[in-house]
Amino acid sequence: MYILGIETSCDETSAAVLHNNELLSLIISNQTVHQQYGGVVPELASRAHQQNIVPVVEMALRKAGISKQQLNAIAFTLGPGLPGSLMVGVSFAKSLAWALQIPIITVDHLHAHILVHFITESGKTKDLPSFPLLALVVSGGHTLFVRMEDHLTLKTIGKTIDDAAGEVFDKAAKMLNLPYPGGPVIDKHASQGNPFAFTFAKPKVNNFDFSFSGLKTSILYFLRDKLKEDPTFIDDNLADLCASIQHTIVEILLDKIHLALQQTKLKTFLLAGGVAANSYLRKRLTNYCAENNIRLYLPEPIFTTDNGAMIAIAGYYKYLKNDFAPLDVTPYASGKLIF
Ligand code: KG4
Ligand code: ZN
């Protein structure tokens, strides 16, 4: 079975082809236009998707070595995401599927982030996670705990009540005059800094929920006060600031992961989403899981950010259940998780 996966929910235009659960090709076109604005500009994202979608899909098919007539289904992100961006992928996927007379499969972006752990690659041996398990999606728009009974049976057990973890990386980077997206840049500078140089407020939130808006405000006020005393404070302390901010975010995540694993008694943990690329989080989690006898699955860096392969693998599991969608489906911006 050949499945094309299309992802256009935010600022990456991506397409991938899977043969069953094996990856044949993955093309990701990053939109650099947003860098000058310090964040994603929805209207520009939508326009860039329109420019990229045809060449990205063509390239994915060419690299996979198949023609579009060989496709069995087209899977695409239905939501959550930016409406104008989603619309480009959704309309394109529907039109192509209609022309080829093949079924469409709608995919939830967050569900797809988790399922990257089930993609196999030719020539690479992979140990696939077994169920039940706990998964955490940490991205620019979401921080979500999910309990999974199988590939398609998921239950949200906690989420952020305000900002996402990635958003703190991005907003903190902006306050430190660093470029967008902030996560990779903070990660890089942090490797030269002291994580205990500065302390920031950690939130008190019940259960398995997260909150990051207080930390964002605490960084803002801290920098404002320090800059009043010393205008070169940021430049003089950049590495320590990055390391301390990163440390606080990771501590908040680890506290909740510990609580969730303890209370659910689950022994398998999956990390997913853009922030899963963070080297400090990966290191701390690896140590924590080794000490606590938890089977940890970290995604390869290429699969952490938004990509078409995660959409295609979700499509694969839905195809096996004949879970196809009608051509009149419409995207959803937020909230509505389809599991
Ligand atoms: O999953 P993703 O590509 O998009 C969303 O669905 O939101 O995640 C993007 C987020 C951004 O906030 C970016 O700053 C963050 O992932 N990110 C990182 C790193 N690489 C990307 N955050 C921390 N450390 C990184 N190395
Ligand atoms: Zn994402």
Side-chain angles (χ1 to χ4, degrees):
M1 179 204 316
Y2 290 106
I3 298 202
L4 172 69
I6 294 176
E7 157 63 30
T8 65
S9 70
C10 191
D11 60 341
E12 265 101 23
T13 317
S14 180
V17 177
L18 246 61
H19 180 233
N20 297 324
N21 63 343
E22 186 185 316
L23 185 67
L24 298 184
S25 65
L26 169 59
I27 306 295
I28 304 174
S29 169
N30 304 107
Q31 302 179 0
T32 47
V33 63
H34 308 288
Q35 276 168 6
Q36 59 189 300
Y37 301 101
V40 178
V41 183
E43 176 58 31
L44 296 179
S46 168
R47 279 191 236 171
H49 283 305
Q50 287 201 323
Q51 285 171 345
N52 297 341
I53 189 81
V54 172
V56 163
V57 169
E58 272 182 347
M59 239 186 277
L61 287 167
R62 204 174 324 130
K63 204 168 163 212
I66 66 158
S67 70
K68 52 184 178 297
Q69 282 76 19
Q70 287 174 270
L71 290 172
N72 295 89
I74 301 178
F76 56 91
T77 312
L78 193 62
L82 300 169
S85 290
L86 287 165
M87 200 66 89
V88 178
V90 171
S91 312
F92 180 87
K94 284 190 203 175
S95 319
L96 184 59
W98 186 72
L100 296 169
Q101 288 296 297
I102 54 174
I104 56 167
I105 302 169
T106 55
V107 172
D108 182 276
H109 183 83
L110 302 173
H111 185 189
H113 265 301
I114 299 168
L115 289 178
V116 286
H117 289 279
F118 297 89
I119 297 171
T120 61
E121 289 174 89
S122 162
K124 287 190 192 173
T125 47
K126 190 161 173 180
D127 154 40
L128 298 180
S130 50
F131 298 103
L133 57 84
L134 179 72
L136 176 67
V137 184
V138 268
S139 74
H142 305 273
T143 310
L144 182 79
F145 261 137
V146 169
R147 183 192 163 100
M148 280 179 99
E149 306 302 335
D150 61 51
H151 301 99
L152 302 178
T153 314
L154 298 87
K155 188 169 172 253
T156 299
I157 62 161
K159 57 181 177 339
T160 180
I161 56 169
D162 41 55
D163 299 335
E167 221 170 320
V168 189
F169 276 104
D170 296 334
K171 297 278 163 58
K174 200 169 182 179
M175 294 179 217
L176 297 171
N177 310 313
L178 296 171
Y180 175 86
V185 197
I186 290 190
D187 194 346
K188 197 169 129 239
H189 286 289
S191 64
Q192 312 294 320
N194 172 9
F196 304 101
F198 306 107
T199 39
F200 297 101
K202 282 210 289 177
K204 287 187 180 57
V205 192
N206 289 335
N207 308 322
F208 307 136
D209 285 339
F210 296 90
S211 167
F212 286 101
S213 69
L215 172 60
K216 226 173 59 183
T217 315
S218 135
I219 299 168
L220 181 74
Y221 289 161
F222 173 82
L223 290 175
R224 187 196 59 186
D225 294 346
K226 290 287 182 190
L227 285 169
K228 261 188 217 154
E229 294 163 18
D230 172 10
T232 63
F233 178 76
I234 290 179
D235 292 341
D236 298 343
N237 296 279
L238 190 59
D240 284 350
L241 281 166
C242 288
S244 303
I245 291 168
Q246 176 177 271
H247 174 76
T248 313
I249 298 170
V250 168
E251 283 288 311
I252 295 170
L253 294 173
L254 281 176
D255 282 354
K256 288 289 172 160
I257 293 168
H258 171 66
L259 186 74
L261 285 169
Q262 247 191 355
Q263 294 203 6
T264 60
K265 303 210 171 3
L266 292 166
K267 287 284 176 197
T268 303
F269 179 68
L270 260 67
L271 188 69
V275 180
N278 187 265
S279 60
Y280 186 67
L281 174 60
R282 292 171 83 96
K283 196 171 103 195
R284 294 283 310 275
L285 251 181
T286 303
N287 293 342
Y288 172 82
C289 290
E291 282 161 16
N292 291 278
N293 207 16
I294 303 290
R295 245 192 127 73
L296 170 67
Y297 291 85
L298 295 171
E300 282 175 52
I302 182 73
F303 293 137
T304 57
T305 46
D306 295 346
N307 66 83
M310 69 188 201
I311 308 305
I313 189 74
Y316 167 72
Y317 286 110
K318 293 185 90 172
Y319 190 105
L320 295 179
K321 297 276 180 205
N322 288 322
D323 190 351
F324 304 120
L327 278 174
D328 62 357
V329 284
T330 49
Y332 53 92
S334 65
K336 183 175 140 200
L337 298 177
I338 52 178
F339 42 83

